[in-house]
Amino acid sequence: MTINAEASGPRPRSFFTPTRIITYGIIIVAALYYLLPLYVMITTSLKGLPEIRWGNIFAPPLEVTFEPWVKAWTSACTGLTCNGLAPGFWNSVKITLPSTVVSVFVAAVSGYALVNWRFKGSEFFFTVLLLGSFIPYQVMLYPLVMITAQMKIFGTLWAVILIHTIFGMPILTLLFRNYFASLPQELFKAARVDGAGFWRIFFQIMVPMSLPIFAVAIILQVTGIWNDFLFGVVFAGTQNYPMTVQLNNIVNSVQGVREYNVNMAATILTAAVPLIVYFVSGKWFVRGIAAGAVKG
Amino acid sequence: MVAIVLIVFIGCTLWTIWFSFTDSRALPNGAFIGFDQYERLFNTRRWRISATNLLTYGMFSLVFTMVVGFVLAVLMDQRIRFEDGFRTIFLYPFALSGIVTGLVWQWIMNPTLGLQSTMRGLGWTNFTFDWITNTDMVLYALLIAGLWHGTGFVMVLMLAGLRSVDGEIWKAARVDGIPTWRTYLQIVLPMMRGVVVTTLVIVCSGIVRTYDLVVALTNGGPGLSSEVPAKYVINYMFAAGNLGQALAASTVMLLTVFVLLIPWFIVEFGPKKNA
């Protein structure tokens, strides 16, 4: 039996037009450039030292070993101590969790106040916040060292947590303000008429309606704080260095044989948290950076 | 909350500006000495190198980040298969810290173990790629790592901008027989002016702040050939114990950022005044 279907509509264009070949060509080459470091990191971390010395960095490992990973986590030397990255990881966790929770909460309340409970000078306050997000950190660093020293928290985890919370404010407040401004004002007014107060409206109406923006803010803060180096180095004190600082100490310490496989394993371990956040949150991460960048 | 912001963002900034006019050494000191610190700053070889480095690196970084980001966005806009997959690949470096980025590229660009030795091992015995240890080329090594880290971010913003342009524009351009590349360059790009300016401002202020990447990739070396202002400030503030210099340098950084903000202010607040 033969099928005699008449072709209808325009002839489908060949997939392999010159333009498409060039387009895909460039995209694939670009993708290789972006993937290369990840590939090098992973393969190097799985090789033994002799193989690194004699092979090339792009060759896949001949003998897969997880020893560098174990060493990076438990016994690599960061400066004077040799306890691996594990303490740094836990320091980063201890810094990131409270800073994220507090800064997101305070920013949500501030954004809500800026939209729904305008006070005298709230516009001025908002402009200061906006400009604040562009001031280089170096400008405010020394006075903050003095303030935290006065508070007797300099060189402790509390200092880093406080600093991250403060510097998270501008961008997060901006996010929440713009989001709350896009919600219908009638809801707020109706709740006011019904006699609900500041906190009740916030917790029972605003928060449940703004879970998406909370997700975005949390992603921004977790990745941002985890990746920080400067504040960790300045405020945390040697005992409390976050993972990024310890990583840099492991890799750039001058003494002894450079163990590139351990270094790469340590780098992957430090990158793991933001990478997991990135891959798991997917579109939310993209939405987060777009929202963080574009002022509404 | 209001108090904290006023104290930190306004108070600390004013404090820094004020004490940049004093003769503070290891500790802040009240003696007002006018513009002496600034004069000394611009006569210091290390600062001049830092500022020139930032200018060179910044110009290249800005142009390449914007152009590569835009080109990638346009390519991604061509109804590509696996668009989500490619976007994930282009953007993941942005999720990583400057320290991680610096260390990975330090390893790839290491002449005795990385790309150079690999190529030599494969038979190209004259292949040379030693930018990271070469005084004249180290800024371009920094550029390779910086672009890897930042172009995905620009691409995502630009792609969002492209997608926000009305589809009717495209139909009209096609009816008029305008080639695709000209439509992008002369019609679509001007229409997404807002996105472009915002991206520009963010990229610029990021460049002025460049710190982690340099610390991890080259630590300012070889010599002073990849030193940048952000690092200069930290070194003078905490290691060299010359606070006056550090504060003057950071005030110059602040001024630079505010100058860079002007175009953004014009775009964000300009039209509303006329309305």
Side-chain angles (χ1 to χ4, degrees):
Chain A
M1 201 177 106
T2 52
I3 300 165
N4 284 318
E6 275 299 307
S8 62
R11 204 187 134 110
R13 273 195 297 166
S14 161
F15 182 75
F16 293 102
T17 62
T19 330
R20 287 200 85 74
I21 292 174
I22 293 171
T23 307
Y24 276 96
I26 299 175
I27 289 191
I28 289 168
V29 170
L32 291 178
Y33 165 65
Y34 287 94
L35 283 175
L36 183 83
L38 190 62
Y39 169 79
V40 170
M41 264 196 275
I42 294 171
T43 50
T44 307
S45 74
L46 297 173
K47 290 177 187 171
L49 259 187
E51 205 183 322
I52 289 175
R53 236 170 270 133
W54 305 115
N56 76 56
I57 51 165
F58 301 109
L62 296 172
E63 263 178 64
V64 172
T65 165
F66 287 94
E67 221 170 290
W69 286 68
V70 176
K71 184 162 188 199
W73 183 253
T74 57
S75 63
C77 296
T78 64
L80 295 174
T81 53
C82 294
N83 299 324
L85 270 177
F89 173 84
W90 293 112
N91 286 339
S92 284
V93 170
K94 283 183 229 163
I95 292 167
T96 306
L97 278 182
S99 319
T100 302
V101 172
V102 176
S103 61
V104 168
F105 177 75
V106 178
V109 175
S110 316
Y112 161 65
L114 280 170
V115 172
N116 294 318
W117 301 83
R118 286 162 185 275
F119 49 92
K120 199 160 171 261
S122 62
E123 284 301 305
F124 170 74
F125 172 71
F126 183 63
T127 314
V128 170
L129 258 187
L130 205 63
L131 287 176
S133 63
F134 286 102
I135 301 176
Y137 298 133
Q138 276 81 358
V139 176
M140 295 170 277
L141 211 52
Y142 199 85
L144 285 171
V145 169
M146 300 199 329
I147 291 171
T148 47
Q150 279 288 311
M151 292 166 77
K152 306 229 184 298
I153 56 169
F154 182 74
T156 68
L157 286 173
W158 293 110
V160 205
I161 293 167
L162 178 72
I163 299 297
H164 278 303
T165 307
I166 290 172
F167 284 114
M169 296 313 304
I171 195 71
L172 293 183
T173 307
L174 194 67
L175 276 185
F176 280 106
R177 174 193 173 271
N178 292 345
Y179 187 85
F180 289 138
S182 72
L183 294 177
Q185 286 294 301
E186 282 68 31
L187 275 170
F188 173 77
K189 284 180 190 150
R192 287 280 286 153
V193 172
D194 289 347
F198 186 94
W199 292 110
R200 219 172 140 194
I201 297 177
F202 180 72
F203 281 113
Q204 296 196 340
I205 297 171
M206 293 301 176
V207 173
M209 286 182 71
S210 42
L211 295 181
I213 201 73
F214 272 97
V216 162
I218 290 170
I219 291 169
L220 271 180
Q221 279 302 82
V222 170
T223 52
I225 295 171
W226 193 273
N227 285 338
D228 161 70
F229 176 79
L230 180 62
F231 297 143
V233 132
V234 174
F235 291 96
T238 36
Q239 289 306 304
N240 308 309
Y241 277 157
M243 215 175 180
T244 46
V245 179
Q246 289 211 338
L247 170 69
N248 194 51
N249 287 349
I250 289 181
V251 176
N252 286 331
S253 70
V254 271
Q255 29 179 307
V257 188
R258 285 196 170 218
E259 298 179 293
Y260 290 100
N261 47 0
V262 176
N263 292 351
M264 285 298 129
T267 312
I268 298 174
L269 287 169
T270 310
V273 167
L275 276 185
I276 290 169
V277 170
Y278 175 60
F279 286 121
V280 170
S281 68
K283 288 216 163 82
W284 287 102
F285 182 88
V286 178
R287 214 181 286 184
I289 66 163
V294 184
K295 181 190 155 300
Chain B
M1 166 63 210
V2 178
I4 287 177
V5 168
L6 292 183
I7 290 170
V8 174
F9 291 100
I10 297 187
C12 291
T13 305
L14 291 178
W15 187 95
T16 292
I17 296 174
W18 172 253
F19 277 89
S20 73
F21 291 105
T22 64
D23 61 354
S24 303
R25 297 290 303 178
L27 289 169
N29 179 325
F32 186 86
I33 53 164
F35 282 93
D36 279 13
Q37 292 288 4
Y38 292 88
E39 221 183 295
R40 207 174 304 158
L41 183 68
F42 283 98
N43 284 324
T44 306
R45 184 169 154 266
R46 187 170 174 183
W47 170 258
R48 288 217 300 259
I49 293 174
S50 305
T52 323
N53 283 346
L54 184 65
L55 204 67
T56 315
Y57 168 74
M59 294 290 273
F60 278 102
S61 177
L62 182 63
V63 171
F64 278 107
T65 313
M66 295 301 284
V67 171
V68 174
F70 182 70
V71 170
L72 282 180
V74 167
L75 293 175
M76 296 284 283
D77 197 30
Q78 310 301 314
R79 271 174 293 150
I80 289 293
R81 281 184 200 203
F82 314 115
E83 188 192 313
D84 281 2
F86 281 117
R87 201 200 51 211
T88 306
I89 292 171
F90 294 146
L91 189 61
Y92 87 88
F94 189 71
L96 303 177
S97 62
I99 295 290
V100 166
T101 306
L103 295 179
V104 177
W105 283 99
Q106 189 195 63
W107 164 234
I108 295 177
M109 296 196 273
N110 180 325
T112 51
L113 285 153
L115 190 61
Q116 176 176 306
S117 90
T118 303
M119 296 302 273
R120 287 187 180 179
L122 292 173
W124 285 282
T125 43
N126 288 323
F127 184 88
T128 305
F129 183 66
D130 61 350
W131 289 6
I132 203 169
T133 52
N134 182 328
T135 320
D136 297 323
M137 300 304 286
V138 67
L139 287 179
Y140 304 98
L142 202 62
L143 191 64
I144 292 179
L147 289 181
W148 182 78
H149 187 251
T151 37
F153 166 72
V154 175
M155 180 206 71
V156 166
L157 294 189
M158 294 287 192
L159 193 57
L162 289 175
R163 296 272 155 89
S164 70
V165 168
D166 190 354
E168 294 298 314
I169 301 289
W170 277 105
K171 282 183 195 155
R174 209 157 295 149
V175 169
D176 290 342
I178 304 173
T180 313
W181 66 270
R182 273 193 55 190
T183 314
Y184 269 118
L185 224 55
Q186 296 184 338
I187 302 172
V188 173
L189 196 57
M191 284 183 72
M192 42 188 274
R193 194 180 56 139
V195 176
V196 174
V197 172
T198 306
T199 315
L200 208 67
V201 168
I202 294 169
V203 171
C204 282
S205 63
I207 290 171
V208 176
R209 289 179 192 183
T210 306
Y211 177 71
D212 311 14
L213 186 65
V214 180
V215 169
L217 189 71
T218 64
N219 203 18
L224 291 173
S225 48
S226 61
E227 186 77 359
V228 287
K231 226 182 130 267
Y232 182 95
V233 173
I234 302 292
N235 282 16
Y236 274 78
M237 199 174 273
F238 298 110
N242 193 337
L243 199 55
Q245 279 293 289
L247 297 179
S250 54
T251 307
V252 174
M253 284 176 70
L254 177 70
L255 265 176
T256 316
V257 170
F258 277 172
V259 169
L260 293 170
L261 279 178
I262 293 172
W264 180 68
F265 258 85
I266 293 172
V267 169
E268 286 287 332
F269 301 106
K272 281 174 207 154
K273 263 178 222 157
N274 302 334

